[in-house]
Amino acid sequence: MDTTSSASDGGPALKAQEVSGDEQVDFKSMSDSEWQNRLTKEQFYVARKKGTERAFTGEYWNTKTPGTYTCACCDTPLFDSSTKFDSGTGWPSYWQPIGNSVKSARDVSNPFMPRTEVLCIKCDAHLGHVFDDGPHPTGERYCINSACLKLKPEQT
């Protein structure tokens, strides 16, 4: 995943900080300032401020690379590529998360279209939404923003 923000979004391109696998961080108590130091502007807007990237613009909406999609904020494994499918929506879509890696909450930010928000279980990052129009075997469609993900390709 490209971890730079473009100069066109109002500032110079900056690298997002990686989270070390052995680093002990209380992600749920981090301030906005701390998140802004770790993430690109787009990642911060989407994951921490509940934004949404435009359809068909995210890095992973059409990716077919086998691997594991992790949280861009805390590196928690979220989705396996074997559960990814083409929903035609322009966002990466999965029919099942990995284990209990995500949680959901009612999103009533749009009173005309209440939805179910998907959050990372470890850091509470806003990932996207889940709908009940997905394929078998679950019938669910986890519609996730690419900005919230990092792909770790399978080792061959």
Side-chain angles (χ1 to χ4, degrees), residues 5-150:
S5 61
S6 68
S8 65
D9 62 5
L14 300 172
K15 281 285 192 190
Q17 293 181 357
E18 294 294 320
V19 177
S20 163
D22 58 355
E23 182 180 358
Q24 296 298 319
V25 178
D26 181 5
F27 293 105
K28 292 183 180 181
S29 68
M30 286 177 60
S31 69
D32 279 355
S33 177
E34 290 171 302
W35 281 119
Q36 288 173 319
N37 287 331
R38 283 187 176 269
L39 305 172
T40 66
K41 286 182 180 187
E42 181 179 35
Q43 288 172 325
F44 179 76
Y45 166 71
V46 176
R48 307 316 310 176
K49 295 301 179 183
K50 301 181 186 290
T52 301
E53 63 197 11
R54 289 189 339 256
F56 303 102
T57 64
E59 181 175 359
Y60 301 123
W61 77 270
N62 198 27
T63 299
K64 308 274 191 273
T65 305
T68 301
Y69 291 88
T70 65
C71 179
C73 296
C74 70
D75 213 29
T76 297
L78 300 172
F79 299 94
D80 186 271
S81 62
S82 66
T83 67
K84 191 172 191 279
F85 68 99
D86 183 2
S87 65
T89 63
W91 287 277
S93 296
Y94 310 85
W95 50 264
Q96 177 178 300
I98 295 173
N100 294 322
S101 61
V102 301
K103 62 184 177 179
S104 60
R106 192 77 171 144
D107 177 357
V108 292
S109 60
N110 181 344
F112 301 105
M113 187 176 59
R115 302 174 290 179
T116 302
E117 179 184 16
V118 178
L119 303 157
C120 174
I121 197 76
K122 186 173 183 180
C123 71
D124 285 337
H126 167 79
L127 303 172
H129 294 88
V130 62
F131 303 93
D132 63 2
D133 61 358
H136 291 296
T138 64
E140 294 180 317
R141 172 174 52 96
Y142 288 83
C143 192
I144 307 298
N145 291 284
S146 289
C148 301
L149 301 172
K150 289 188 294 187

